[in-house]
Amino acid sequence: MRLETGEDGLAVLTLCRPDKLNGWSWESTRQLGLLADRIRFDPSVRAVLLRAEGRAFCAGIDVTAPGGAITGGSAAGRTRDYYEGIRWVHERFAVLARLPQPVVAAVQGYCLGFGFELALMADIRVAAEDAVFALPEAQLGVAVDAGGDLRIAREAGAGWAKYLALTGRRIDAATAQRLNLVQPVVPGAELDAAARGLAAEIAANAPLAVQGIKRAVDAYADAALPAALDRVAMTAALTLTSDDCREGYAAKAARRPPHFTGG
């Protein structure tokens, strides 16, 4: 992940692993928290642009990244360690979501799993016409672990959150816009200019007013989020240590239908 700041009041956060479709990892989460902290205390930054290199915004978890698995001396210990790990991820993501400066995400191509959840943490999302969104976790035997389903419920309603998270179905940019999950949808060639222009428009406004508006809207929209996220962390920990999780990933690798047992 790369951070660039300029004289225009913008900080640009770029996902820069295009060869891996910007797959997410524990290290990505650590970098996100560190860079968001730098943005928070930079008085020259008035808005943030979150973007990605290549043909995908983020295709989800990179299962080949180092340190991807959590171990423990027992099943209970491993579940506890996953629970703490997911809580840590939530804390790092919250550093981005709770920045005083508004965040505009520019989304192209695959925006799946953790990538979709990351985009949902932005204040405004600009999507290219080729963007594809999904939460496929249930197809692999795991829960949605960073609160993406909760944020979909906030934006689109509980029914659509369950529809997308329970099925894992993919939706295109036009459908995401209809569900209020993205705002402008633009041709791919215009994505960067449109997102930068929008972020610059926000940055040109009075920072105290802009930041106050963001805090007020978030206080209303996210009132129930902290308690729900703790439940998400526990559900994620239980499913990540389940037999169904192992079966889901094995089936995907073998390109066969999974056989889930509920264990």
Side-chain angles (χ1 to χ4, degrees), residues 236-253:
L238 290 172
T239 55
L240 284 164
T241 56
S242 69
D243 292 339
D244 277 350
C245 178
R246 286 189 289 273
E247 165 62 13
Y249 277 98
K252 183 178 182 181

Side-chain angles (χ1 to χ4, degrees), residues 55 71 76 80 89 98 124 126 136 181 185 192 202 210:
R55 60 190 180 91
T71 59
R80 181 265 180 198
V89 169
R98 295 175 187 168
I124 300 170
V126 183
L181 300 177
V185 174
D192 192 67
I202 294 169
V210 165

Side-chain angles (χ1 to χ4, degrees), residues 86-238:
I86 296 298
R87 289 182 65 218
W88 174 82
V89 169
H90 290 175
E91 291 164 5
R92 301 286 79 73
F93 273 25
V95 176
L96 175 71
R98 295 175 187 168
L99 280 173
Q101 302 97 332
V103 179
V104 175
V107 180
Q108 79 275 10
Y110 292 125
C111 185
L112 311 177
F114 245 64
F116 194 5
E117 297 187 272
L118 176 64
L120 287 165
M121 290 177 204
D123 298 288
I124 300 170
R125 289 162 291 281
V126 183
E129 291 174 338
D130 71 344
V132 177
F133 303 86
L135 294 175
E137 286 87 344
Q139 297 175 344
L140 297 171
V142 298
V144 179
D145 48 9
D149 46 357
L150 306 181
R151 290 180 170 87
I152 292 173
R154 179 189 66 191
E155 304 290 345
W160 280 110
K162 293 173 184 176
Y163 177 86
L164 294 174
L166 296 178
T167 65
R169 287 190 179 186
R170 296 182 178 186
I171 57 172
D172 59 17
T175 303
Q177 185 183 46
R178 181 167 59 85
L179 297 180
N180 300 320
L181 300 177
V182 302
Q183 284 71 54
V185 174
V186 300
E190 300 174 13
L191 176 65
D192 192 67
R196 285 177 185 268
L198 178 57
E201 186 177 345
I202 294 169
N205 290 331
L208 293 179
V210 165
Q211 293 175 21
I213 290 167
K214 173 174 174 171
R215 282 193 297 269
V217 173
D218 285 350
Y220 170 76
D222 296 339
L225 196 59
L229 280 173
D230 188 71
R231 181 167 294 186
V232 164
M234 179 53 71
T235 303
L238 290 172

Side-chain angles (χ1 to χ4, degrees), residues 1-14 35-51 96 99 101-106 192 195-196 199-200 202-203:
M1 189 171 296
R2 184 174 69 245
L3 171 63
E4 300 166 288
T5 57
E7 297 180 356
D8 55 0
L10 292 185
V12 181
L13 271 174
T14 302
L35 296 177
D37 274 339
R38 285 174 54 186
I39 291 168
R40 179 178 183 175
F41 294 106
D42 186 340
S44 71
V45 176
R46 296 189 174 187
V48 180
L49 174 62
L50 176 64
R51 60 178 299 277
L96 175 71
L99 280 173
Q101 302 97 332
V103 179
V104 175
D192 192 67
R196 285 177 185 268
I202 294 169

